[in-house]
Amino acid sequence: MSQLKNMSLSELTRHQEELQKQYDMYKNETIRLDMSRGKPSQEQLDLSMDMLTVLTNESHVVDANETDIRNYGLLDGIPEAKEWFGTMFEMAADQIIVGGNSSLALMHDTVARAMLHGVDADATPWAKLPKVKFICPTPGYDRHFSICELFDIEMISVEMTEDGPDMDQVETLVANDEAIKGIWCVPKYSNPEGITYSDQVVQRLSKMETKATDFRIFWDNAYAIHHLTDTPDELLDIVKQCEHAGVPNRVYQFASTSKVTFPGSGISAFMASKENIQFAKKLMGIQTIGADKINQSRHIRFFEQIGGVEKLMKQHAAIIKPKFDQVLSTLEQKLAEKEIADWTTPNGGYFISLNTMEGCAKRVVSLAADVGVTLTGAGATYPYGKDPVDRNIRIAPTFPSLGELKKAMEILCLCVELAAVEKVIKQ
Ligand code: PMP
C-alpha cells in the first residue's frame, strides 16, 4: 500500500503544497520535451548514412539474379532481401514478400484483404459477416487498435502477463466465439512493456482450438533484433510451432527495418505459409507491380558493407541503453519507495511501461503537458483509447538527448507524485 495512505489529511495537504511549489517552478521555465513516440534519435539515424551512397556503379543496378532493379518487376522483392529476412526469421523464399517502407501498411492491407476477400479463396470475406472481433492484449500498440477501429472490428482486451497475453482468457475466448478472427501480438520486446512471450505462450497460441476456421495471429515482430543487452530474450518460432500443430496458415508475421535504418524509409516483410503468401500475392499483384527494389538493394548492400546488421544494432544499443538506464534510475530514485507506481525493465525494444496509481494517468499526462513535457496520451495503449483503470503511460526514451531525458523524467516523476497526492486527498 502507498505510504500516502498512512498520512493524515494535514500531512497530505502540506505534502501537496510542497510538490505544487516544485511543479510551479518548472512552469516558469520554457521547457519543450517530447517523449511521446518511439522515434530513433538523430545520432541513431546518422549510423545508416552510408546506406545512401552504397549503390555507386553500374554493377549495382542488378539484383542477385541479374534482374535490373531500376525496372518494374518482382512483386515479392529481390532475392537477396528475401534471403536476408528469411535467414533472420528462418523462413523459405516462398514464405516471404518483401514490402515497402512500412510493416504497418502491410498489416493494414492484410486486414483489408481479409475484410474484402477472406483469408483464402474459399473463406467468407470478414466484411460480409455480421460481426468481426479481434483479441487485443493490453497494454498494446495503439496503431493496431486504430486498424481495428477503421474496419469496425470489435476489440476484446486481454491482460498481458509477464509471459505474454493471459492464455487462459485467450483460449476460452477463441474456443467459444466464431466471430473472433484475429489477435494482435508484438511477441518480442512488446510495445509498450518490453515483454517477450514465453515458449509456453507461443505453444499455446499455436495449439489452441479456435471456433473460427479462418482465425489468424498477427505476429508483429517489429523489435526482433532490438536488444539492449548482450543476453537477448529468446522467442520461440511461432511459424514452426503452427506447422507442428497442423495449422500452418494460422500466423501472419511482419517485420521491418524502420528502427534499424530509417523509419519511413526502411524495408518491410510479410511472412507466412506458402499458401497464405500465394493467396496474398494474387491480390497484391492487382495493387502494385512491386515495392521499391532500389531501397531493398541499398539495405542489403549496406548490411554487407558494415559486416552484418548485428553490428549496427549494437551501435544502436550503445546509444539508447544509457537512455533506458536514465529513465529507470530516475524512476527508482524518485518513486521506488513511495509505492505509487510500477514500471517495466525491458531487455530490448523502444519503450518502458509505467503504471501510476489507478485513476491518475490522464492527470499525469496533462500535468506534464502543462509544463512542456509531451507524453503518449493516457489510454493510447488500450483499445478505443480507454484505459479501464486510467493508470498506464508509455515512456519512449530514445528520441530526447540524455540531458533532456533527465529533466523530462524528473518532471514526470513529480507529476506522478502530485497526481497521486491529489487522488488520495480526494478519496
Ligand atoms: N509495429 C510496432 C509494434 C511498432 O512499435 C511500430 C512503430 N515503430 C510499427 C509496427 C511500425 O512499423 P513500420 O515503420 O514498419 O510501419
mmCIF file of all heavy atoms in Angstrom, residues 162-208:
data_model
loop_
_atom_site.group_PDB
_atom_site.id
_atom_site.type_symbol
_atom_site.label_atom_id
_atom_site.label_comp_id
_atom_site.label_asym_id
_atom_site.label_seq_id
_atom_site.Cartn_x
_atom_site.Cartn_y
_atom_site.Cartn_z
ATOM 1 N N GLU A 162 3.469 -11.353 -17.414
ATOM 2 C CA GLU A 162 4.915 -11.250 -17.643
ATOM 3 C C GLU A 162 5.383 -12.164 -18.769
ATOM 4 O O GLU A 162 6.494 -12.039 -19.261
ATOM 5 C CB GLU A 162 5.674 -11.618 -16.368
ATOM 6 C CG GLU A 162 5.722 -10.466 -15.403
ATOM 7 C CD GLU A 162 6.417 -10.810 -14.104
ATOM 8 O OE1 GLU A 162 7.098 -11.854 -14.043
ATOM 9 O OE2 GLU A 162 6.270 -10.031 -13.159
ATOM 10 N N ASP A 163 4.523 -13.116 -19.159
ATOM 11 C CA ASP A 163 4.880 -14.104 -20.186
ATOM 12 C C ASP A 163 4.198 -13.868 -21.525
ATOM 13 O O ASP A 163 4.332 -14.679 -22.436
ATOM 14 C CB ASP A 163 4.475 -15.514 -19.725
ATOM 15 C CG ASP A 163 5.349 -15.997 -18.597
ATOM 16 O OD1 ASP A 163 6.530 -15.635 -18.599
ATOM 17 O OD2 ASP A 163 4.833 -16.704 -17.718
ATOM 18 N N GLY A 164 3.405 -12.789 -21.626
ATOM 19 C CA GLY A 164 2.616 -12.573 -22.836
ATOM 20 C C GLY A 164 1.153 -12.469 -22.456
ATOM 21 O O GLY A 164 0.827 -12.321 -21.266
ATOM 22 N N PRO A 165 0.243 -12.581 -23.454
ATOM 23 C CA PRO A 165 -1.179 -12.450 -23.129
ATOM 24 C C PRO A 165 -1.649 -13.545 -22.174
ATOM 25 O O PRO A 165 -1.089 -14.634 -22.195
ATOM 26 C CB PRO A 165 -1.870 -12.609 -24.485
ATOM 27 C CG PRO A 165 -0.823 -12.731 -25.509
ATOM 28 C CD PRO A 165 0.506 -12.844 -24.869
ATOM 29 N N ASP A 166 -2.644 -13.243 -21.365
ATOM 30 C CA ASP A 166 -3.221 -14.232 -20.448
ATOM 31 C C ASP A 166 -3.879 -15.324 -21.291
ATOM 32 O O ASP A 166 -4.977 -15.147 -21.836
ATOM 33 C CB ASP A 166 -4.261 -13.535 -19.554
ATOM 34 C CG ASP A 166 -4.934 -14.499 -18.597
ATOM 35 O OD1 ASP A 166 -4.956 -15.714 -18.887
ATOM 36 O OD2 ASP A 166 -5.449 -14.028 -17.569
ATOM 37 N N MET A 167 -3.191 -16.462 -21.417
ATOM 38 C CA MET A 167 -3.632 -17.503 -22.350
ATOM 39 C C MET A 167 -4.901 -18.228 -21.902
ATOM 40 O O MET A 167 -5.628 -18.754 -22.735
ATOM 41 C CB MET A 167 -2.502 -18.499 -22.617
ATOM 42 C CG MET A 167 -1.437 -17.966 -23.557
ATOM 43 S SD MET A 167 -2.086 -17.284 -25.112
ATOM 44 C CE MET A 167 -2.859 -18.715 -25.832
ATOM 45 N N ASP A 168 -5.163 -18.247 -20.588
ATOM 46 C CA ASP A 168 -6.428 -18.864 -20.147
ATOM 47 C C ASP A 168 -7.594 -18.093 -20.769
ATOM 48 O O ASP A 168 -8.538 -18.686 -21.303
ATOM 49 C CB ASP A 168 -6.547 -18.839 -18.616
ATOM 50 C CG ASP A 168 -5.546 -19.783 -17.961
ATOM 51 O OD1 ASP A 168 -5.031 -20.668 -18.683
ATOM 52 O OD2 ASP A 168 -5.283 -19.628 -16.756
ATOM 53 N N GLN A 169 -7.481 -16.774 -20.697
ATOM 54 C CA GLN A 169 -8.537 -15.935 -21.283
ATOM 55 C C GLN A 169 -8.609 -16.112 -22.795
ATOM 56 O O GLN A 169 -9.686 -16.279 -23.365
ATOM 57 C CB GLN A 169 -8.241 -14.457 -21.000
ATOM 58 C CG GLN A 169 -8.712 -13.951 -19.660
ATOM 59 C CD GLN A 169 -8.538 -12.427 -19.605
ATOM 60 O OE1 GLN A 169 -8.999 -11.694 -20.464
ATOM 61 N NE2 GLN A 169 -7.848 -11.954 -18.588
ATOM 62 N N VAL A 170 -7.433 -16.056 -23.450
ATOM 63 C CA VAL A 170 -7.406 -16.144 -24.916
ATOM 64 C C VAL A 170 -8.030 -17.459 -25.371
ATOM 65 O O VAL A 170 -8.899 -17.486 -26.254
ATOM 66 C CB VAL A 170 -5.951 -16.019 -25.450
ATOM 67 C CG1 VAL A 170 -5.895 -16.292 -26.953
ATOM 68 C CG2 VAL A 170 -5.379 -14.643 -25.152
ATOM 69 N N GLU A 171 -7.615 -18.567 -24.755
ATOM 70 C CA GLU A 171 -8.116 -19.891 -25.171
ATOM 71 C C GLU A 171 -9.628 -19.987 -25.023
ATOM 72 O O GLU A 171 -10.321 -20.501 -25.909
ATOM 73 C CB GLU A 171 -7.438 -20.988 -24.344
ATOM 74 C CG GLU A 171 -6.018 -21.272 -24.808
ATOM 75 C CD GLU A 171 -5.218 -22.116 -23.828
ATOM 76 O OE1 GLU A 171 -5.666 -22.303 -22.674
ATOM 77 O OE2 GLU A 171 -4.135 -22.586 -24.212
ATOM 78 N N THR A 172 -10.143 -19.486 -23.895
ATOM 79 C CA THR A 172 -11.592 -19.565 -23.682
ATOM 80 C C THR A 172 -12.330 -18.726 -24.724
ATOM 81 O O THR A 172 -13.331 -19.166 -25.301
ATOM 82 C CB THR A 172 -11.937 -19.043 -22.261
ATOM 83 O OG1 THR A 172 -11.118 -19.740 -21.342
ATOM 84 C CG2 THR A 172 -13.384 -19.247 -21.918
ATOM 85 N N LEU A 173 -11.810 -17.543 -24.986
ATOM 86 C CA LEU A 173 -12.477 -16.656 -25.953
ATOM 87 C C LEU A 173 -12.517 -17.270 -27.347
ATOM 88 O O LEU A 173 -13.584 -17.373 -27.964
ATOM 89 C CB LEU A 173 -11.760 -15.300 -26.006
ATOM 90 C CG LEU A 173 -12.027 -14.345 -24.848
ATOM 91 C CD1 LEU A 173 -10.974 -13.249 -24.781
ATOM 92 C CD2 LEU A 173 -13.433 -13.718 -24.999
ATOM 93 N N VAL A 174 -11.355 -17.713 -27.848
ATOM 94 C CA VAL A 174 -11.330 -18.188 -29.238
ATOM 95 C C VAL A 174 -12.055 -19.526 -29.415
ATOM 96 O O VAL A 174 -12.538 -19.820 -30.505
ATOM 97 C CB VAL A 174 -9.888 -18.302 -29.816
ATOM 98 C CG1 VAL A 174 -9.211 -16.947 -29.868
ATOM 99 C CG2 VAL A 174 -9.047 -19.302 -29.056
ATOM 100 N N ALA A 175 -12.141 -20.299 -28.336
ATOM 101 C CA ALA A 175 -12.810 -21.611 -28.447
ATOM 102 C C ALA A 175 -14.323 -21.462 -28.548
ATOM 103 O O ALA A 175 -15.006 -22.343 -29.051
ATOM 104 C CB ALA A 175 -12.459 -22.474 -27.238
ATOM 105 N N ASN A 176 -14.837 -20.326 -28.095
ATOM 106 C CA ASN A 176 -16.291 -20.203 -27.973
ATOM 107 C C ASN A 176 -16.944 -19.172 -28.878
ATOM 108 O O ASN A 176 -18.157 -19.073 -28.913
ATOM 109 C CB ASN A 176 -16.649 -19.881 -26.510
ATOM 110 C CG ASN A 176 -16.326 -21.052 -25.614
ATOM 111 O OD1 ASN A 176 -16.872 -22.126 -25.784
ATOM 112 N ND2 ASN A 176 -15.383 -20.864 -24.708
ATOM 113 N N ASP A 177 -16.154 -18.383 -29.570
ATOM 114 C CA ASP A 177 -16.755 -17.285 -30.344
ATOM 115 C C ASP A 177 -16.217 -17.298 -31.774
ATOM 116 O O ASP A 177 -15.057 -16.958 -32.027
ATOM 117 C CB ASP A 177 -16.429 -15.945 -29.655
ATOM 118 C CG ASP A 177 -17.220 -14.797 -30.250
ATOM 119 O OD1 ASP A 177 -17.809 -14.984 -31.346
ATOM 120 O OD2 ASP A 177 -17.238 -13.717 -29.637
ATOM 121 N N GLU A 178 -17.091 -17.654 -32.701
ATOM 122 C CA GLU A 178 -16.665 -17.766 -34.099
ATOM 123 C C GLU A 178 -16.359 -16.403 -34.726
ATOM 124 O O GLU A 178 -15.680 -16.305 -35.741
ATOM 125 C CB GLU A 178 -17.773 -18.472 -34.899
ATOM 126 C CG GLU A 178 -17.251 -19.084 -36.153
ATOM 127 C CD GLU A 178 -18.318 -19.796 -36.975
ATOM 128 O OE1 GLU A 178 -19.458 -19.929 -36.495
ATOM 129 O OE2 GLU A 178 -17.985 -20.217 -38.086
ATOM 130 N N ALA A 179 -16.882 -15.353 -34.099
ATOM 131 C CA ALA A 179 -16.655 -14.001 -34.645
ATOM 132 C C ALA A 179 -15.230 -13.512 -34.375
ATOM 133 O O ALA A 179 -14.770 -12.555 -34.990
ATOM 134 C CB ALA A 179 -17.658 -13.016 -34.048
ATOM 135 N N ILE A 180 -14.522 -14.183 -33.459
ATOM 136 C CA ILE A 180 -13.134 -13.769 -33.174
ATOM 137 C C ILE A 180 -12.231 -14.317 -34.263
ATOM 138 O O ILE A 180 -12.025 -15.519 -34.383
ATOM 139 C CB ILE A 180 -12.671 -14.253 -31.780
ATOM 140 C CG1 ILE A 180 -13.563 -13.638 -30.689
ATOM 141 C CG2 ILE A 180 -11.214 -13.851 -31.538
ATOM 142 C CD1 ILE A 180 -13.227 -14.092 -29.281
ATOM 143 N N LYS A 181 -11.701 -13.378 -35.061
ATOM 144 C CA LYS A 181 -10.936 -13.777 -36.241
ATOM 145 C C LYS A 181 -9.449 -13.519 -36.100
ATOM 146 O O LYS A 181 -8.665 -13.922 -36.980
ATOM 147 C CB LYS A 181 -11.439 -12.992 -37.474
ATOM 148 C CG LYS A 181 -12.897 -13.215 -37.798
ATOM 149 C CD LYS A 181 -13.141 -14.649 -38.224
ATOM 150 C CE LYS A 181 -14.585 -14.853 -38.657
ATOM 151 N NZ LYS A 181 -14.896 -16.281 -38.794
ATOM 152 N N GLY A 182 -9.053 -12.799 -35.082
ATOM 153 C CA GLY A 182 -7.626 -12.496 -35.009
ATOM 154 C C GLY A 182 -7.177 -12.056 -33.638
ATOM 155 O O GLY A 182 -7.984 -11.809 -32.730
ATOM 156 N N ILE A 183 -5.857 -12.012 -33.492
ATOM 157 C CA ILE A 183 -5.230 -11.475 -32.279
ATOM 158 C C ILE A 183 -3.989 -10.689 -32.712
ATOM 159 O O ILE A 183 -3.265 -11.112 -33.615
ATOM 160 C CB ILE A 183 -4.846 -12.599 -31.278
ATOM 161 C CG1 ILE A 183 -4.206 -12.025 -30.009
ATOM 162 C CG2 ILE A 183 -3.897 -13.630 -31.896
ATOM 163 C CD1 ILE A 183 -3.999 -13.066 -28.888
ATOM 164 N N TRP A 184 -3.799 -9.519 -32.106
ATOM 165 C CA TRP A 184 -2.578 -8.734 -32.356
ATOM 166 C C TRP A 184 -1.522 -9.163 -31.355
ATOM 167 O O TRP A 184 -1.791 -9.210 -30.147
ATOM 168 C CB TRP A 184 -2.838 -7.243 -32.134
ATOM 169 C CG TRP A 184 -3.691 -6.579 -33.163
ATOM 170 C CD1 TRP A 184 -4.946 -6.085 -32.996
ATOM 171 C CD2 TRP A 184 -3.331 -6.298 -34.529
ATOM 172 N NE1 TRP A 184 -5.395 -5.527 -34.171
ATOM 173 C CE2 TRP A 184 -4.430 -5.643 -35.120
ATOM 174 C CE3 TRP A 184 -2.193 -6.548 -35.312
ATOM 175 C CZ2 TRP A 184 -4.428 -5.214 -36.449
ATOM 176 C CZ3 TRP A 184 -2.199 -6.125 -36.636
ATOM 177 C CH2 TRP A 184 -3.291 -5.469 -37.193
ATOM 178 N N CYS A 185 -0.317 -9.437 -31.834
ATOM 179 C CA CYS A 185 0.769 -9.792 -30.914
ATOM 180 C C CYS A 185 2.042 -9.036 -31.295
ATOM 181 O O CYS A 185 2.412 -9.003 -32.473
ATOM 182 C CB CYS A 185 1.087 -11.286 -31.011
ATOM 183 S SG CYS A 185 -0.267 -12.356 -30.496
ATOM 184 N N VAL A 186 2.684 -8.420 -30.326
ATOM 185 C CA VAL A 186 4.058 -7.909 -30.507
ATOM 186 C C VAL A 186 4.902 -8.806 -29.589
ATOM 187 O O VAL A 186 5.075 -8.525 -28.416
ATOM 188 C CB VAL A 186 4.195 -6.421 -30.119
ATOM 189 C CG1 VAL A 186 5.605 -5.923 -30.410
ATOM 190 C CG2 VAL A 186 3.167 -5.581 -30.859
ATOM 191 N N PRO A 187 5.386 -9.949 -30.139
ATOM 192 C CA PRO A 187 5.843 -11.035 -29.268
ATOM 193 C C PRO A 187 7.207 -10.812 -28.632
ATOM 194 O O PRO A 187 7.537 -11.460 -27.653
ATOM 195 C CB PRO A 187 5.890 -12.227 -30.230
ATOM 196 C CG PRO A 187 6.150 -11.611 -31.568
ATOM 197 C CD PRO A 187 5.432 -10.309 -31.562
ATOM 198 N N LYS A 188 7.997 -9.916 -29.211
ATOM 199 C CA LYS A 188 9.332 -9.720 -28.640
ATOM 200 C C LYS A 188 9.502 -8.258 -28.252
ATOM 201 O O LYS A 188 9.261 -7.365 -29.070
ATOM 202 C CB LYS A 188 10.387 -10.135 -29.668
ATOM 203 C CG LYS A 188 11.762 -10.205 -29.066
ATOM 204 C CD LYS A 188 12.581 -11.272 -29.749
ATOM 205 C CE LYS A 188 13.980 -11.317 -29.168
ATOM 206 N NZ LYS A 188 14.816 -12.243 -29.884
ATOM 207 N N TYR A 189 9.957 -8.021 -27.020
ATOM 208 C CA TYR A 189 10.136 -6.653 -26.512
ATOM 209 C C TYR A 189 8.889 -5.829 -26.856
ATOM 210 O O TYR A 189 8.961 -4.805 -27.546
ATOM 211 C CB TYR A 189 11.389 -6.014 -27.101
ATOM 212 C CG TYR A 189 12.656 -6.830 -26.953
ATOM 213 C CD1 TYR A 189 13.521 -7.018 -28.031
ATOM 214 C CD2 TYR A 189 12.988 -7.414 -25.741
ATOM 215 C CE1 TYR A 189 14.693 -7.755 -27.907
ATOM 216 C CE2 TYR A 189 14.168 -8.159 -25.599
ATOM 217 C CZ TYR A 189 15.007 -8.327 -26.691
ATOM 218 O OH TYR A 189 16.171 -9.056 -26.554
ATOM 219 N N SER A 190 7.746 -6.295 -26.378
ATOM 220 C CA SER A 190 6.441 -5.763 -26.776
ATOM 221 C C SER A 190 6.333 -4.259 -26.570
ATOM 222 O O SER A 190 7.001 -3.684 -25.709
ATOM 223 C CB SER A 190 5.340 -6.458 -25.964
ATOM 224 O OG SER A 190 5.468 -6.117 -24.592
ATOM 225 N N ASN A 191 5.489 -3.664 -27.369
ATOM 226 C CA ASN A 191 5.158 -2.247 -27.255
ATOM 227 C C ASN A 191 3.872 -2.181 -26.427
ATOM 228 O O ASN A 191 2.857 -2.704 -26.874
ATOM 229 C CB ASN A 191 4.950 -1.703 -28.684
ATOM 230 C CG ASN A 191 4.533 -0.251 -28.713
ATOM 231 O OD1 ASN A 191 4.209 0.328 -27.690
ATOM 232 N ND2 ASN A 191 4.522 0.333 -29.910
ATOM 233 N N PRO A 192 3.841 -1.616 -25.222
ATOM 234 C CA PRO A 192 4.887 -0.800 -24.600
ATOM 235 C C PRO A 192 5.676 -1.470 -23.473
ATOM 236 O O PRO A 192 6.566 -0.821 -22.924
ATOM 237 C CB PRO A 192 4.038 0.318 -23.980
ATOM 238 C CG PRO A 192 2.802 -0.381 -23.500
ATOM 239 C CD PRO A 192 2.553 -1.494 -24.497
ATOM 240 N N GLU A 193 5.417 -2.735 -23.124
ATOM 241 C CA GLU A 193 6.005 -3.234 -21.871
ATOM 242 C C GLU A 193 7.387 -3.852 -22.010
ATOM 243 O O GLU A 193 8.081 -4.063 -21.021
ATOM 244 C CB GLU A 193 5.056 -4.266 -21.233
ATOM 245 C CG GLU A 193 3.771 -3.632 -20.732
ATOM 246 C CD GLU A 193 2.794 -4.669 -20.237
ATOM 247 O OE1 GLU A 193 2.381 -5.512 -21.061
ATOM 248 O OE2 GLU A 193 2.489 -4.665 -19.052
ATOM 249 N N GLY A 194 7.773 -4.166 -23.273
ATOM 250 C CA GLY A 194 9.079 -4.786 -23.470
ATOM 251 C C GLY A 194 9.104 -6.245 -23.070
ATOM 252 O O GLY A 194 10.162 -6.822 -22.813
ATOM 253 N N ILE A 195 7.940 -6.871 -23.061
ATOM 254 C CA ILE A 195 7.828 -8.284 -22.660
ATOM 255 C C ILE A 195 8.066 -9.190 -23.870
ATOM 256 O O ILE A 195 7.625 -8.885 -24.976
ATOM 257 C CB ILE A 195 6.416 -8.541 -22.072
ATOM 258 C CG1 ILE A 195 6.356 -7.979 -20.649
ATOM 259 C CG2 ILE A 195 6.044 -10.020 -22.122
ATOM 260 C CD1 ILE A 195 4.978 -7.957 -20.061
ATOM 261 N N THR A 196 8.757 -10.304 -23.652
ATOM 262 C CA THR A 196 8.894 -11.328 -24.691
ATOM 263 C C THR A 196 8.051 -12.531 -24.293
ATOM 264 O O THR A 196 8.114 -12.993 -23.150
ATOM 265 C CB THR A 196 10.377 -11.729 -24.860
ATOM 266 O OG1 THR A 196 11.100 -10.562 -25.280
ATOM 267 C CG2 THR A 196 10.547 -12.829 -25.897
ATOM 268 N N TYR A 197 7.245 -12.999 -25.234
ATOM 269 C CA TYR A 197 6.350 -14.111 -24.940
ATOM 270 C C TYR A 197 7.166 -15.359 -24.558
ATOM 271 O O TYR A 197 8.171 -15.681 -25.200
ATOM 272 C CB TYR A 197 5.490 -14.466 -26.158
ATOM 273 C CG TYR A 197 4.428 -13.459 -26.552
ATOM 274 C CD1 TYR A 197 4.427 -12.141 -26.069
ATOM 275 C CD2 TYR A 197 3.418 -13.818 -27.435
ATOM 276 C CE1 TYR A 197 3.450 -11.231 -26.457
ATOM 277 C CE2 TYR A 197 2.434 -12.922 -27.830
ATOM 278 C CZ TYR A 197 2.459 -11.628 -27.340
ATOM 279 O OH TYR A 197 1.495 -10.735 -27.741
ATOM 280 N N SER A 198 6.703 -16.086 -23.551
ATOM 281 C CA SER A 198 7.370 -17.328 -23.138
ATOM 282 C C SER A 198 7.088 -18.431 -24.155
ATOM 283 O O SER A 198 6.129 -18.350 -24.930
ATOM 284 C CB SER A 198 6.853 -17.761 -21.765
ATOM 285 O OG SER A 198 5.516 -18.200 -21.894
ATOM 286 N N ASP A 199 7.931 -19.473 -24.105
ATOM 287 C CA ASP A 199 7.734 -20.623 -25.009
ATOM 288 C C ASP A 199 6.330 -21.190 -24.852
ATOM 289 O O ASP A 199 5.673 -21.553 -25.820
ATOM 290 C CB ASP A 199 8.738 -21.742 -24.681
ATOM 291 C CG ASP A 199 10.160 -21.336 -25.058
ATOM 292 O OD1 ASP A 199 10.328 -20.215 -25.577
ATOM 293 O OD2 ASP A 199 11.082 -22.130 -24.823
ATOM 294 N N GLN A 200 5.890 -21.253 -23.604
ATOM 295 C CA GLN A 200 4.587 -21.857 -23.344
ATOM 296 C C GLN A 200 3.456 -21.054 -23.994
ATOM 297 O O GLN A 200 2.528 -21.630 -24.563
ATOM 298 C CB GLN A 200 4.383 -21.949 -21.837
ATOM 299 C CG GLN A 200 3.562 -23.129 -21.474
ATOM 300 C CD GLN A 200 2.945 -23.018 -20.102
ATOM 301 O OE1 GLN A 200 3.009 -21.953 -19.447
ATOM 302 N NE2 GLN A 200 2.332 -24.085 -19.662
ATOM 303 N N VAL A 201 3.579 -19.719 -23.930
ATOM 304 C CA VAL A 201 2.545 -18.881 -24.550
ATOM 305 C C VAL A 201 2.538 -19.090 -26.063
ATOM 306 O O VAL A 201 1.475 -19.251 -26.684
ATOM 307 C CB VAL A 201 2.757 -17.383 -24.187
ATOM 308 C CG1 VAL A 201 1.972 -16.477 -25.111
ATOM 309 C CG2 VAL A 201 2.361 -17.127 -22.736
ATOM 310 N N VAL A 202 3.728 -19.136 -26.666
ATOM 311 C CA VAL A 202 3.801 -19.346 -28.123
ATOM 312 C C VAL A 202 3.203 -20.707 -28.488
ATOM 313 O O VAL A 202 2.435 -20.828 -29.454
ATOM 314 C CB VAL A 202 5.271 -19.230 -28.622
ATOM 315 C CG1 VAL A 202 5.346 -19.491 -30.128
ATOM 316 C CG2 VAL A 202 5.851 -17.852 -28.302
ATOM 317 N N GLN A 203 3.525 -21.717 -27.682
ATOM 318 C CA GLN A 203 2.980 -23.055 -27.957
ATOM 319 C C GLN A 203 1.460 -23.074 -27.815
ATOM 320 O O GLN A 203 0.759 -23.639 -28.654
ATOM 321 C CB GLN A 203 3.599 -24.088 -27.006
ATOM 322 C CG GLN A 203 4.964 -24.531 -27.472
ATOM 323 C CD GLN A 203 5.809 -25.106 -26.343
ATOM 324 O OE1 GLN A 203 5.444 -25.029 -25.169
ATOM 325 N NE2 GLN A 203 6.952 -25.660 -26.691
ATOM 326 N N ARG A 204 0.968 -22.421 -26.785
ATOM 327 C CA ARG A 204 -0.491 -22.419 -26.575
ATOM 328 C C ARG A 204 -1.208 -21.668 -27.699
ATOM 329 O O ARG A 204 -2.287 -22.066 -28.142
ATOM 330 C CB ARG A 204 -0.831 -21.824 -25.204
ATOM 331 C CG ARG A 204 -0.495 -22.772 -24.059
ATOM 332 C CD ARG A 204 -0.695 -22.151 -22.703
ATOM 333 N NE ARG A 204 -2.094 -22.052 -22.307
ATOM 334 C CZ ARG A 204 -2.493 -21.621 -21.116
ATOM 335 N NH1 ARG A 204 -1.610 -21.257 -20.190
ATOM 336 N NH2 ARG A 204 -3.781 -21.537 -20.818
ATOM 337 N N LEU A 205 -0.588 -20.585 -28.180
ATOM 338 C CA LEU A 205 -1.200 -19.840 -29.297
ATOM 339 C C LEU A 205 -1.294 -20.709 -30.550
ATOM 340 O O LEU A 205 -2.270 -20.634 -31.306
ATOM 341 C CB LEU A 205 -0.371 -18.586 -29.617
ATOM 342 C CG LEU A 205 -0.567 -17.386 -28.706
ATOM 343 C CD1 LEU A 205 0.547 -16.352 -28.920
ATOM 344 C CD2 LEU A 205 -1.935 -16.716 -28.928
ATOM 345 N N SER A 206 -0.282 -21.539 -30.754
ATOM 346 C CA SER A 206 -0.299 -22.349 -31.974
ATOM 347 C C SER A 206 -1.181 -23.587 -31.823
ATOM 348 O O SER A 206 -1.706 -24.092 -32.812
ATOM 349 C CB SER A 206 1.125 -22.737 -32.372
ATOM 350 O OG SER A 206 1.764 -23.373 -31.297
ATOM 351 N N LYS A 207 -1.358 -24.037 -30.588
ATOM 352 C CA LYS A 207 -2.116 -25.283 -30.394
ATOM 353 C C LYS A 207 -3.594 -25.070 -30.073
ATOM 354 O O LYS A 207 -4.377 -26.004 -30.116
ATOM 355 C CB LYS A 207 -1.495 -26.077 -29.237
ATOM 356 C CG LYS A 207 -0.220 -26.777 -29.643
ATOM 357 C CD LYS A 207 0.239 -27.724 -28.553
ATOM 358 C CE LYS A 207 1.563 -28.353 -28.899
ATOM 359 N NZ LYS A 207 2.411 -28.549 -27.751
ATOM 360 N N MET A 208 -3.966 -23.845 -29.690
ATOM 361 C CA MET A 208 -5.324 -23.656 -29.154
ATOM 362 C C MET A 208 -6.398 -23.948 -30.209
ATOM 363 O O MET A 208 -6.185 -23.766 -31.407
ATOM 364 C CB MET A 208 -5.487 -22.227 -28.613
ATOM 365 C CG MET A 208 -5.409 -21.145 -29.650
ATOM 366 S SD MET A 208 -5.250 -19.528 -28.867
ATOM 367 C CE MET A 208 -5.245 -18.479 -30.326
#
